[in-house]
Amino acid sequence: MAFFNEKPVVVLGGGIAGITAALELAHLGLPVALVEKSPFFGGRAAHFACKATDTCQKCGACLVEQRLRDLIQESGVTLYPHTELIQAQRPDGLFHLTFRRQPQRIDPHRCINCGICYDECPAISQQAILTGSSPAQHPRYAINPAGCLYFRDGSCRICQELCFPKAIDLDRPETTFTLEAPALVLATGYQPADPRSRPHYGYGFLPRVITGWELEQRLRDGAALEIPGNGRPARSIAFIQCVGSRDQDHPYCSRVCCAYGLRLARLIRHRLPECRLATFYMDLQNIGLDAQRFQEEALAEVKLIRVLPGDVATAADGTIKLRYLDEVSGQALSTAFDLVVLAVGIAPGPENPRLAELLHLDLTPEGFIRSHDDLHRTATGQPGLFLAGTVEGPRSIAECIAQATAAVQQVRNYLEAAS
Amino acid sequence: MSIVRPIDFIVTHNLELRPAGLDPRDFSLLVAGFPNTRVLLLDPALPADQQEARLKAFLHEKARSPVVLAAMDPQTRGAVTLKLLLEKFQLNPELLTVVDLQAALENPDPKTRTLKALDLVRLAAVRVSRAVPLGSQEVPVSRRVLVWGDSYPALKAAGDLADLGYPVILATPHAPLSPLTPSAPQPQSPPEPLAALLQHIQDHPLLRPVTAAALLGFEGVTGNFTIRLCTPVGPLKEQVGAVILAPELEIAEAPERYGLPLHPRILSQTRLEQVLASPKEAAAMLDPQTEQVVVALMVGLAGASYPPALRRALSAASRLLNRSNCQVYLLVGDAKVAEPGLEKFLRQNQDAGLVLCKLSQLPEVTLKEDRPHLTFFDPVMRESLELAADLVVYEEAYRAASGNAELARLLRLQPAPLGFLQGDNVHNLPVATCRRGIYVVGPARAVMDLEEGLAEADAAVLAVQSLLGPGVASAPLGRAQVDRGRCVLCLTCYRLCPHGAIVYDSRADIKELACQGCGVCASECPNDAIQIRNCTDDQIRAHIRTLNPQLAPRLVAFMCRNSAWEAYQAALKLKHAALPLGFTAIKMPCAGKIDMDYLIRAFTHGIAGVLVLTCHPDNCKSHKANDHARWRVAQAQALLAEAGIDPQRLLYKSLAANTPQDLLDAVAQLRAYL
C-alpha cells in the first residue's frame, strides 16, 4: 500500500457515520481527511438528547459524544470543517476532489467562547452565527455567510468590533484546494423530513406544534418544557408519529422515529410525572431488542393511540385540539394538548442530487444514493467509492456505526487489491 | 502539602483571566511557592513553533517530571500545547494532568478565585506527583479465530478472515451447513452471491469447517482462549485469539402462538412457500377452477414479529395475487415495515388487490364444513367480519439459537434479552461484547436483514484484525497490579471482573490485553491486594487529605470519567454553572473504583457532603460497575448512620455525559440538604 499510503482517504461528511469511518481508518494507520460542510463536526446525531430516565433507554446518543471526543484527540485525521465539495474528477484511478473552504473567521486560538458575538448579532434570526452542540467543539460559534449582514451588504461588523480578544476577522478569504484520494467514503447524512409535508398539522404557524428534532434540542439544553408563548410548563403533550414517513412523498419507513418518539415521551414522563402523554401512531417499529417488554412498559406511562389525528385546531384557551377516530368506539374524539410534537422522519440529504451528479452515482426514487445491491449497501457501482450512514437510507445511530465500520473494511480491501 | 516529587507547572495566560480577578502572573508566582516546582507562563494563542521554543527552554529535550497544565478549557484551547507535550516532548500521558481554571472562575467573589485556582492546581499536583508512567507491552496472541455458527454472516466472516491469512475454525452444531435467508423463502440452492460464500469456505486451505460440533469448554483470556470442541471425528482442543459468534436464527412454525387448530388448510409461512413452489400442490390447495380462493395471511398478531416475516408474507401475497382467482387478506397487528423497500412493497401489494386489515387482537378461528373461518373486528368497516378462508397462513417465530444460553454461560458473556448474545448495552454496539476478543454479529445479536448481518461481519473482521494483527497485540503494562503477597486467592476478582480479564494460578493474575482498568476488582478485593495504576488508594487518600479546609462548603464528588466527569467538563462551559467554592471533583476511571474506604475517609477528613456520580444503569462500560458503586454507597450510608453521621450527606446519582444540568442539580440537591 506504499503508493496509496501517502494520500489520505477522504471521508465526506462529519456526522456519526463519517466520524466512525475516519476513526476506524486512522486506527488502521491510514491518513484520513474528514470533510464537513457545516462549521461543526458531529452532524445531526450530536444534537440528540440523552433519553435515560432512571435507567438507560439505549438511544445511543452518548456514542456520538464519545466518538466526537475521540476524533478531536485523534492525530491521524485531518479535519476540514466548513468545507464543501465543488468538483470531482477521476482521471487516473485517484479521486481529484476540489473543495471550497470557508475561512475560520473566528480564530480558535483567540476565541474564548464568551458568546458576545452571538448575543449582540442583529441578524441572529437569520442564523448569522451558528452554535455547536457539544462542548467538545471549539470555537462553539461560527459565522455563517449565508445569514450575516456583512456578507449581504457590508453594513454590519458589530461582532468584529465587540470581540475583545480580537478573534473575529470577517475579511479572511475563502480558499479552494484539491485533494487526491485513493478512496472516498460518502457519509453526508440526511435532513429531518419537512413537517409541512403534512400541512394539516399546522407546523410553522401554530407555535405549540414543534418537531421531535426541536424537542430533542430543548431537552438537551436542559430547558424546561414550557408552552411556547406563555411560559407555563406543559401539562399535556401529544406525539404524532410518521410525519414525513410512510406517506405519498416518503414511501418508506424512517426506522428511527418510533424509537425516539416513545423514548422522548418516557423521558418527559420521568421528568414531569404529572404530564398527560399520548402517542398517535400507525405501527410500532424498531423500538428495542425486546420490543414487547418495551411496549408494555411504555403503555403504562404513555397512552398509545393507534390512529393518526385527522384534524388539528386551536382552542380558545390556546391549546391544540386533535380530532381522531377512536379505534374501540368508532367515535370521533377530540382531545386538547398543551404541546404537539411531530416525530419527523429521515428525508434524503439536500445535497444528494448534486453529489450524485458530481460523483456519477445514482439516486433511488426516494432521493437517497443508490447502493450497488441489496447485499452490499456500502458499495456503489464505482470501485473505491463507498457509502456509510443515512446517505443511503434511514438508519439508527448504531446501524450507522456498523455500516461505517463495514465501509472501512471495504476501503481496506480495495486499497490492498489496488496496490 | 504533599507534592512528593518535582512538578513542572505550565500556566497559560488566557485573556479573560486578569479581568476575572485571576492575574496569571501573580498566580504563577503563588504556584512557584509550592515546594519542588517550576513554573512556565505560556500564551496559548502563540503559533505552535513559538510554543515549542518556549517549552524547549523550559523542559529541554524531553519532559522528565510530571506536568500540570493549568488553562482555560485546556482540552480544546490548549490543544496545541497538549499535542506538543505528548508528541514532541514525549510526556507519558499518565504524567500529564490538566486543570480547567474555569472551575475557579465559577465563584462570584473574585477574591476567592485565586485561592480556588491554587487549590485546584495543588490537588492536581498531589495526585500526579504520585503517578507512575504506564508502559506498553507486546503480548503474543494466537492468530487462529473461532467462528461459531453457520449463518451467512458467519460464513462471510470466516471466509474473509481466512483470505486475510488468519487460520479459522468454523464450527457449528448443524450438519450440513444450513444458513438461512431470513426475509426470503429458503431456496433449494442459494442465489449467486450467497452460493459464492458457501463455496468459498469449502476449499480454503486456512479454513477448517467443523459441523455437528458442540462447544465443551472455553477458558483463557483475549488473545489466548482455549477451546474444547466435541466433533464427530473426536475431540478438538485448540488455542484461538478471538471468537466471532454468529449462530443462525431458528425459524419455528410455532402454531401455538396463534392458538390455531391442526388442519390441512392452516399452514405455516414455510409450508405455504413450499406449496407455491410446487405447481401440483398449489393446484390442489388453490383450485384454479373455482371462482374465488380466499387466503388469509396473519402477521404480527401474537408475540414478537420482525420485518423479515412481513417481507416473506408479502412475497407470498404477490405470488398469490398473480393467480387470477385469489383474494388475499393480510391480517396484521403491528406491520413491521422498518426495512428498506418494505413499505413500498406493502403498497404495491395493496394496489394489486391485497386487503389489509389491521387488527388489535387475534382473530377467532373455527372450523366449519372443512374450511377454517376467521372472525375478527375490522376497524375500518367498524363491524365484525367472518371470513371463510381456503387457506390460513400464519407467520413463524424468529428466535435466537437455542444453544445461546449455554454458549453465553461458557464464554462468560452478560445475559441479553430473548436469548441473544450481546448484552443490552449501547457501548457494545455494533459487534463487541463485554469481553474483548469476542464479537457477535448478525443473528447472534438480533433478528435482522441479511445485508445488515453481512455488514456486521465486515465490522467484526476489522475488529479481529486490529486486535490480533500479525500475532502480537499491544497492551498497557502495569495498569492493574496484584500484590501477590496479599492475594489469598479468594477469587472475588475473578468472579466480578466484567471483562473476563482475570485468570489465576496460585494467585490472581490480571491479563492486560483484556483489562479495561475499571477497578471493580481493586475495590472489591477484601484484602486490598489489587491496585489500579494512577488511581491507587494512596493517590486518592492523598487527594482527600489535601483538600483545603478554608474553602466551604466542603463537597467532594467522585465521578466516573465516562459520564459524570464529561458532564462536569460541560457544566464548566455553561454560563452561570455557579458550582460552590468548596466543590471538588475527583476523576475515577469507572464507578467500579469508588471504594467504600474513600467515602468514609472523606467524612473523617471533615468533608460536609459526598456525591457519587456514575453512568446510568445499563449504560456502564463495565457492565454493572455502577451498581457496585450504588451498593457501596448504601453500605457506607448504613455505617455512617451507625456512627451518628447523617447518611444523607452521602448522595448517589446517575447521569449521562451530555446532561450537565443533571450534575448541577445533584450538587444543588446536596447543598440544599446541608
Side-chain angles (χ1 to χ4, degrees):
Chain A
M1 287 204 286
F3 164 66
F4 282 117
N5 258 342
E6 301 153 17
K7 308 209 153 139
V9 176
V10 171
V11 178
L12 217 53
I16 178 63
I19 291 175
T20 306
L23 285 173
E24 293 288 342
L25 284 164
H27 291 169
L28 290 176
L30 293 166
V32 191
L34 181 60
V35 180
E36 164 62 36
K37 193 179 68 168
S38 86
F40 307 105
F41 289 91
R44 302 267 175 204
H47 291 266
F48 296 158
C50 167
K51 300 179 193 66
T53 53
D54 44 16
T55 158
C56 171
Q57 289 209 70
K58 286 122 198 169
C59 68
C62 51
L63 299 178
V64 184
E65 212 89 3
Q66 174 94 44
R67 280 178 168 71
L68 198 53
R69 289 196 295 268
D70 293 348
L71 179 72
I72 285 161
Q73 284 168 9
E74 173 61 61
S75 55
V77 183
T78 318
L79 301 177
Y80 296 94
H82 225 169
T83 302
E84 222 178 339
L85 179 68
I86 51 171
Q87 214 184 348
Q89 283 170 330
R90 202 177 185 188
D92 50 1
L94 288 178
F95 291 92
H96 292 244
L97 305 166
T98 309
F99 298 97
R100 180 167 50 226
R101 182 174 189 175
Q102 299 289 326
Q104 283 198 307
R105 297 189 175 91
I106 302 181
D107 183 350
H109 297 302
R110 294 190 156 268
C111 174
I112 60 168
N113 290 321
C114 63
I116 283 180
C117 50
Y118 184 85
D119 294 340
E120 300 298 329
C121 175
I124 210 68
S125 58
Q126 285 125 52
Q127 297 187 311
I129 295 185
L130 304 170
T131 53
S133 59
S134 162
Q137 294 154 334
H138 173 80
R140 286 206 294 288
Y141 304 89
I143 292 174
N144 176 17
C148 177
L149 296 175
Y150 176 73
F151 291 89
R152 191 194 298 163
D153 51 18
S155 65
C156 167
R157 301 184 77 117
I158 287 179
C159 54
Q160 184 167 345
E161 284 155 14
L162 286 179
C163 179
F164 91 93
K166 301 204 176 0
I168 299 182
D169 181 357
L170 294 169
D171 297 317
R172 289 195 185 106
E174 59 180 34
T175 47
T176 53
F177 63 96
T178 304
L179 290 176
E180 291 177 10
L184 176 62
V185 178
L186 191 62
T188 48
Y190 73 103
Q191 62 180 338
D194 183 1
R196 279 171 281 248
S197 67
R198 294 214 170 173
H200 58 282
Y201 292 147
Y203 179 80
F205 51 91
L206 295 179
R208 293 191 182 198
V209 178
I210 64 169
T211 64
W213 166 255
E214 288 162 351
L215 180 65
E216 291 255 9
Q217 278 166 302
R218 280 202 210 180
L219 290 169
R220 190 191 160 90
D221 298 342
L225 278 174
E226 290 164 354
I227 303 169
N230 77 6
R232 283 206 326 265
R235 279 171 305 187
S236 54
I237 301 177
F239 285 79
I240 303 178
Q241 299 297 132
C242 288
V243 179
S245 305
R246 304 185 71 187
D247 60 17
Q248 285 303 329
D249 299 338
H250 311 88
Y252 55 87
C253 169
S254 290
R255 303 177 70 191
V256 296
C257 336
C258 288
Y260 85 72
L262 278 179
R263 283 172 172 79
L264 282 173
R266 296 188 68 185
L267 174 60
I268 292 171
R269 158 68 66 241
H270 180 71
R271 294 210 186 158
L272 305 171
E274 300 297 309
C275 189
R276 184 162 56 83
L277 293 165
T279 293
F280 295 87
Y281 74 103
M282 293 207 266
D283 300 288
L284 290 181
Q285 314 283 349
N286 271 351
I287 49 177
L289 194 52
D290 194 348
Q292 277 184 303
R293 207 180 107 202
F294 185 89
Q295 190 170 344
E296 278 161 27
E297 287 170 3
L299 207 53
E301 298 169 358
V302 183
K303 192 172 178 198
L304 292 172
I305 303 169
R306 194 180 174 180
V307 67
L308 297 184
D311 189 25
V312 174
T314 313
D317 60 350
T319 54
I320 304 278
K321 274 194 157 169
L322 298 180
R323 281 207 321 156
Y324 62 97
L325 207 62
D326 184 51
E327 203 186 14
V328 183
S329 65
Q331 304 288 313
L333 296 182
S334 175
T335 314
F337 292 95
D338 283 340
L339 198 63
V340 172
V341 181
L342 306 179
V344 289
I346 288 179
E351 295 272 297
N352 282 5
R354 197 176 71 87
L355 288 169
E357 201 188 317
L358 276 176
L359 297 165
H360 309 293
L361 296 168
D362 295 330
L363 291 177
T364 63
E366 294 85 20
F368 296 101
I369 304 279
R370 186 189 292 283
S371 58
H372 183 245
D373 66 50
D374 285 351
L375 286 182
H376 299 93
R377 291 191 189 276
T378 57
T380 62
Q382 282 191 52
L385 173 51
F386 301 94
L387 305 176
T390 49
V391 70
E392 194 272 323
R395 270 189 180 77
S396 67
I397 291 173
E399 288 162 348
C400 284
I401 292 173
Q403 204 202 11
T405 318
V408 168
Q409 177 67 5
Q410 297 298 331
V411 168
R412 185 198 160 105
N413 290 346
Y414 168 76
L415 292 182
E416 285 204 336
S419 59
Chain B
M1 180 61 67
S2 62
I3 299 173
V4 292
R5 60 191 274 207
I7 302 279
D8 290 336
F9 285 92
I10 300 171
V11 179
T12 63
H13 54 87
N14 299 82
L15 275 171
E16 65 267 48
L17 288 176
R18 193 197 301 261
L22 185 68
D23 187 293
R25 281 164 220 283
D26 298 349
F27 177 61
S28 302
L29 286 173
L30 289 170
V31 174
F34 293 168
N36 273 339
T37 55
R38 302 188 306 145
V39 184
L40 171 72
L41 193 58
L42 186 71
D43 180 357
L46 283 179
D49 55 335
Q50 293 188 34
Q51 286 201 32
E52 188 184 337
R54 281 171 170 68
L55 285 170
K56 198 164 182 176
F58 181 60
L59 299 170
H60 306 299
E61 290 302 321
K62 190 168 172 281
R64 287 186 181 78
S65 307
V67 172
V68 176
L69 174 70
M72 295 295 292
D73 194 2
Q75 294 297 353
T76 51
R77 291 170 64 192
V80 176
T81 320
L82 285 175
K83 197 170 172 179
L84 280 171
L85 284 171
L86 293 172
E87 287 171 15
K88 279 270 187 284
F89 295 93
Q90 299 161 36
L91 182 63
N92 190 295
E94 299 290 325
L95 297 186
L96 170 68
T97 185
V98 292
V99 174
D100 192 347
L101 291 176
Q102 181 64 43
L105 299 194
E106 287 298 313
N107 304 297
D109 178 11
K111 284 182 201 152
T112 56
R113 286 178 182 164
T114 309
L115 201 60
K116 177 69 184 170
L118 267 181
D119 194 46
L120 287 169
V121 292
R122 176 172 42 220
L123 289 173
V126 165
R127 191 153 162 188
V128 81
S129 72
R130 290 167 170 77
V132 189
L134 192 60
S136 70
Q137 57 179 333
E138 304 267 279
V139 182
V141 290
S142 164
R143 295 186 78 225
R144 189 173 287 106
V145 180
L146 170 70
V147 178
W148 179 264
D150 59 348
S151 59
Y152 284 113
L155 304 186
K156 179 172 163 59
D160 285 0
L161 280 169
D163 284 347
L164 289 163
Y166 292 89
V168 176
I169 299 173
L170 176 70
T172 163
H174 299 146
L177 297 178
S178 41
L180 296 178
T181 47
S183 48
Q186 303 315 317
Q188 295 295 322
S189 56
E192 185 34 51
L194 299 178
L197 281 181
L198 263 172
Q199 188 53 43
H200 187 64
I201 59 143
Q202 300 295 353
D203 41 18
H204 201 294
L206 283 177
L207 206 153
R208 183 153 147 210
V210 184
T211 51
L215 188 63
L216 295 180
F218 189 89
E219 275 139 33
V221 288
T222 314
N224 292 294
F225 298 110
T226 308
I227 57 164
R228 282 188 297 119
L229 288 172
C230 168
T231 78
V233 290
L236 173 69
K237 187 174 174 185
E238 206 57 89
Q239 286 288 109
V240 296
V243 181
I244 294 178
L245 301 173
E248 189 53 276
L249 293 174
E250 287 173 9
I251 302 184
E253 294 210 334
E256 71 281 357
R257 288 207 307 169
Y258 278 76
L260 292 169
L262 271 177
H263 190 271
R265 292 194 169 273
I266 298 180
L267 313 180
S268 68
Q269 177 67 34
T270 300
R271 184 75 192 104
L272 173 69
E273 283 155 0
Q274 287 165 354
V275 167
L276 288 174
S278 130
K280 208 172 118 200
E281 270 195 288
M285 288 275 197
L286 308 157
D287 188 354
Q289 306 305 324
T290 53
E291 199 177 315
Q292 197 184 43
V293 177
V294 175
V295 181
L297 305 169
M298 299 197 289
V299 179
L301 285 163
S305 179
Y306 302 94
L310 181 66
R311 200 188 291 273
R312 280 172 68 195
L314 290 175
S315 304
S318 60
R319 293 190 64 176
L320 287 166
L321 290 166
N322 277 336
R323 305 172 77 93
S324 56
N325 63 340
C326 264
Q327 171 74 302
V328 186
Y329 289 81
L330 181 64
L331 309 183
V332 63
D334 263 336
K336 302 284 184 187
V337 292
E339 286 288 354
L342 209 42
E343 170 76 8
K344 220 179 214 174
F345 196 21
L346 178 62
R347 282 161 180 257
Q348 280 166 4
N349 269 290
Q350 280 180 282
D351 292 344
L354 177 76
V355 182
L356 180 71
C357 296
K358 290 197 173 184
L359 310 186
S360 48
Q361 60 195 87
L362 263 177
E364 205 176 305
V365 182
T366 47
L367 299 172
K368 289 180 194 163
E369 299 160 8
D370 197 31
R371 288 280 186 280
H373 284 233
L374 297 172
T375 317
F376 56 89
F377 181 79
D378 181 4
V380 179
M381 303 298 290
R382 306 226 51 81
E383 60 184 11
S384 222
L385 288 183
E386 186 171 331
L387 191 67
D390 293 279
L391 278 187
V392 170
V393 183
Y394 56 92
E395 70 164 326
E396 288 157 314
Y398 284 65
R399 290 177 185 148
S402 49
N404 280 1
E406 176 64 10
L407 210 53
R409 190 187 65 78
L410 272 174
L411 271 62
R412 296 173 67 201
L413 300 177
Q414 313 297 356
L418 306 181
F420 290 102
L421 288 169
Q422 189 178 35
D424 200 6
N425 184 319
V426 289
H427 294 298
N428 287 338
L429 294 171
V431 296
T433 63
C434 57
R435 297 191 70 183
R436 205 168 166 217
I438 302 182
Y439 305 96
V440 287
V441 301
R445 47 176 294 261
V447 176
M448 61 176 75
D449 236 8
L450 197 48
E451 178 271 329
E452 282 174 60
L454 293 176
E456 289 182 0
D458 268 334
V461 167
L462 193 67
V464 169
Q465 272 175 289
S466 40
L467 174 68
L468 302 181
V472 278
S474 69
L477 178 62
R479 179 155 58 184
Q481 288 174 322
V482 182
D483 181 344
R484 293 179 72 88
R486 294 185 76 98
C487 177
V488 294
L489 206 64
C490 67
L491 299 189
T492 305
C493 54
Y494 171 81
R495 285 186 290 107
L496 290 179
C497 177
H499 306 289
I502 302 181
V503 293
Y504 51 90
D505 41 36
S506 60
R507 299 286 184 270
D509 179 10
I510 300 176
K511 295 292 184 189
E512 306 211 49
L513 192 53
C515 174
Q516 308 284 316
C518 66
V520 172
C521 54
S523 284
E524 294 293 328
C525 177
N527 217 22
D528 278 342
I530 303 177
Q531 291 294 337
I532 301 295
R533 172 84 44 106
N534 296 335
C535 188
T536 57
D537 292 344
D538 177 40
Q539 277 176 303
I540 303 296
R541 284 171 195 159
H543 202 139
I544 296 170
R545 205 163 54 229
T546 36
L547 290 171
N548 188 343
Q550 286 173 291
L551 302 176
R554 300 185 72 194
L555 302 180
V556 170
F558 292 95
M559 297 184 173
C560 165
R561 68 165 171 201
N562 295 314
S563 54
W565 182 259
E566 292 301 334
Y568 172 60
Q569 300 296 314
L572 290 181
K573 295 180 177 108
L574 288 179
K575 287 176 191 171
H576 325 297
L579 287 159
L581 179 62
F583 177 81
T584 304
I586 301 183
K587 182 180 179 182
M588 306 301 282
C590 168
K593 184 68 196 84
I594 303 171
D595 274 25
M596 265 269 276
D597 174 59
Y598 306 159
L599 304 178
I600 303 294
R601 193 170 292 262
F603 286 103
T604 59
H605 280 87
I607 300 301
V610 175
L611 277 162
V612 173
L613 301 172
T614 74
C615 302
H616 283 299
D618 284 0
N619 194 324
C620 177
K621 285 188 175 180
S622 297
H623 190 44
K624 290 198 176 302
N626 49 358
D627 288 341
H628 283 287
R630 198 182 74 238
W631 297 328
R632 279 181 220 132
V633 166
Q635 274 179 306
Q637 281 172 331
L639 287 179
L640 290 175
E642 247 174 76
I645 300 170
D646 184 351
Q648 296 197 51
R649 286 166 58 188
L650 174 60
L651 181 67
Y652 170 88
K653 275 269 182 210
S654 68
L655 45 81
N658 62 2
T659 52
Q661 194 58 45
D662 287 2
L663 174 98
L664 299 179
D665 291 348
V667 176
Q669 187 188 336
L670 183 63
R671 207 179 167 191
Y673 181 76
L674 298 175

